[in-house]
């Protein structure tokens, strides 16, 4: 594929992502309100898993092909990009007021997971066996079951009606699926073309996984976070990032490990440490100011830029 066609593919992918995300967020918010479920829960479940579909595909394909570093690098790179760059960029554009208690339990889990994975890598000498993949998936299924049960138990009657004319639940689901399809196809366009451009520069597999592919597969989260925050759905936006982080490690990495045991480059521990540091920084910002300010957003973006510079060099 020529460079011109790859650039055109990137543009097409971005257009599909933006339109698909707009449709998907509107439909998801409407579904949440129709079912009287808090938007943050929809963000943690449907939206988070939907936007992580590209990571699932990449993880399975990379693992089956014996590219463990790319599979794991994609997961950790996506999580770091989601946490630092996406939240940082959005906070620079508009400070993010957050009600941390809305997603506190989920966020604590999202911190515990990479810490547990880092300890496991030290104990197993950078190796994740199939049984480890099974355990990760089982933890994810347990978490999702508890989350959905709690959400249905605590459904409110004051979530309010969606803005604009009422939309039937079936139509909202159909629109949501349409938006999701556009997101996934758009992401695949963007990732394929971006990977082609990167490979012409002779970039290594690990760097491609952490940078180009990770950023490409995170484009749905970026667009949905921007649109959600613009619509005032900050809790849903935060839920998408947190849910995607949990989904990526537990499910994507778990499925990848089941497909093929993962023998990982020891330098991946650095990426895990960076992810944990970013999560602790977010926790500090969210608890002290009840929001992510422009300055804190800039700190996140600079942290990400510094991290990527370190990886490339």
């Amino acid at each position: 594929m020529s460079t011109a066609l790859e650039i055109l593919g990137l543009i097409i992918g971005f257009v599909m992502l933006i339109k698909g995300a707009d449709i998907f967020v509107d439909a998801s918010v409407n579904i949440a309100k129709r079912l009287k479920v808090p938007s943050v829960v929809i963000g943690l479940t449907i939206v988070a898993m939907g936007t992580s579909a590209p990571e699932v595909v990449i993880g399975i394909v990379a693992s089956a092909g014996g590219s463990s570093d790319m599979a794991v690098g994609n997961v950790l790179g996506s999580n770091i990009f989601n946490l630092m760059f996406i939240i940082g960029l959005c906070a620079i554009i508009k400070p993010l007021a957050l009600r941390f208690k809305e997603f506190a339990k989920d966020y604590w889990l999202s911190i515990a997971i990479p810490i547990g994975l880092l300890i496991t890598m030290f104990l197993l000498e950078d190796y994740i066996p199939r049984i480890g993949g099974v355990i990760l998936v089982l933890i994810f299924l347990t978490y999702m079951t508890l989350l959905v049960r709690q959400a249905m138990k605590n459904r409110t009657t004051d979530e309010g009606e969606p803005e604009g004319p009422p939309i039937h639940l079936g139509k909202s689901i159909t629109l949501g699926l349409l938006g999701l399809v556009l997101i996934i196809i758009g992401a695949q366009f963007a990732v394929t073309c971006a990977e082609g451009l990167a490979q012409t520069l002779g970039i290594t597999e690990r760097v491609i996984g952490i940078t180009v592919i990770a950023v490409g597969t995170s484009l749905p989260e970026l667009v949905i976070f921007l649109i959600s925050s613009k619509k005032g759905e900050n809790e849903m936006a935060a839920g998408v990032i947190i849910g995607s982080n949990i989904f990526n490690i537990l499910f994507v990495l778990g499925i990848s490990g089941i497909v093929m045991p993962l023998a990982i480059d020891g330098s991946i521990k650095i990426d895990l440490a960076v992810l944990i540091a970013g999560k602790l920084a977010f926790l500090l910002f969210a608890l002290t100011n009840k929001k992510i300010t422009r300055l804190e957003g800039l700190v996140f973006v600079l942290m990400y830029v510094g991290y990527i510079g370190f990886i490339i060099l």
Side-chain angles (χ1 to χ4, degrees):
M1 185 184 294
S2 68
T3 302
L5 287 177
E6 288 170 341
I7 295 175
L8 178 60
L10 277 174
I11 295 173
I12 293 173
F14 292 153
V15 171
M16 294 179 71
L17 278 168
I18 293 171
K19 186 59 180 177
D22 193 20
I23 296 172
F24 194 56
V25 169
D26 281 341
S28 297
V29 172
N30 191 73
I31 291 171
K33 292 183 181 295
R34 294 298 175 193
L35 297 179
K36 303 188 187 309
V37 175
S39 296
V40 64
V41 176
I42 297 296
L44 283 164
T45 55
I46 299 173
V47 182
M49 289 187 290
T51 56
S52 291
E55 281 90 339
V56 176
V57 177
I58 297 269
I60 292 175
V61 172
S63 178
S67 299
S68 297
D69 287 342
M70 182 175 290
V72 179
N74 176 41
V75 166
L76 297 183
S78 294
N79 282 7
I80 293 170
F81 181 81
N82 290 347
L83 179 66
M84 293 184 180
F85 187 82
I86 293 180
I87 292 180
L89 177 63
C90 290
I92 290 173
I93 296 173
K94 180 183 179 182
L96 301 173
L98 296 171
R99 292 173 294 181
F100 185 75
K101 65 179 181 179
E102 293 283 341
F103 51 84
K105 292 180 180 178
D106 307 285
Y107 194 76
W108 285 115
L109 177 63
S110 78
I111 294 178
I113 291 171
I115 292 176
L117 183 60
L118 182 60
I119 294 173
T120 301
M121 288 184 63
F122 274 109
L123 295 176
L124 298 182
E125 298 181 351
D126 306 326
Y127 181 75
I128 299 179
R130 278 197 171 92
I131 186 62
V134 171
I135 291 173
L136 288 175
V137 172
L138 288 177
I139 293 174
F140 172 74
L141 293 176
T142 301
Y143 162 71
M144 288 301 300
T145 300
L146 293 175
L147 180 64
V148 172
R149 283 183 177 177
Q150 186 68 25
M152 298 308 291
K153 179 181 178 180
N154 296 335
R155 286 194 303 176
T156 61
T157 57
D158 58 350
E159 283 292 312
E161 291 297 320
E163 295 180 4
I167 301 178
H168 190 273
L169 182 60
K171 184 176 181 180
S172 295
I173 294 174
T174 301
L175 289 173
L177 291 174
L178 173 61
L180 181 58
V181 168
L182 288 174
I183 289 170
I184 294 174
I185 295 176
Q188 293 308 309
F189 259 103
V191 169
T192 301
C193 296
E195 184 178 8
L197 288 172
Q199 288 178 338
T200 62
L201 302 176
I203 300 175
T204 64
E205 180 181 290
R206 175 172 175 260
V207 173
I208 289 178
I210 292 175
T211 57
V212 178
I213 296 180
V215 172
T217 55
S218 294
L219 289 176
E221 285 91 341
L222 172 59
V223 178
I224 284 183
F225 196 102
L226 284 168
I227 293 175
S228 295
S229 58
K230 181 181 178 182
K231 295 176 182 292
E233 294 287 344
N234 287 345
E235 276 66 46
M236 171 180 271
V240 170
I241 299 300
I242 297 169
S244 181
N245 269 230
I246 293 173
F247 182 82
N248 284 347
I249 292 183
L250 292 182
F251 188 79
V252 178
L253 204 56
I255 288 294
S256 300
I258 292 173
V259 171
M260 184 71 68
L262 302 172
I264 309 166
D265 187 325
S267 58
I268 291 290
K269 295 192 191 78
I270 297 174
D271 308 312
L272 272 169
V274 170
L275 177 61
I276 294 169
K279 286 182 176 295
L280 293 175
F282 177 90
L283 182 64
L284 176 65
F285 295 157
L287 290 178
T288 53
N289 298 319
K290 308 300 181 183
K291 64 180 180 180
I292 307 298
T293 65
R294 285 191 172 91
L295 178 59
E296 291 165 346
L298 179 60
V299 170
F300 265 145
V301 171
L302 292 177
M303 286 174 65
Y304 180 76
V305 171
Y307 161 70
I308 292 300
F310 173 79
I311 291 298
I312 293 175
L313 295 176

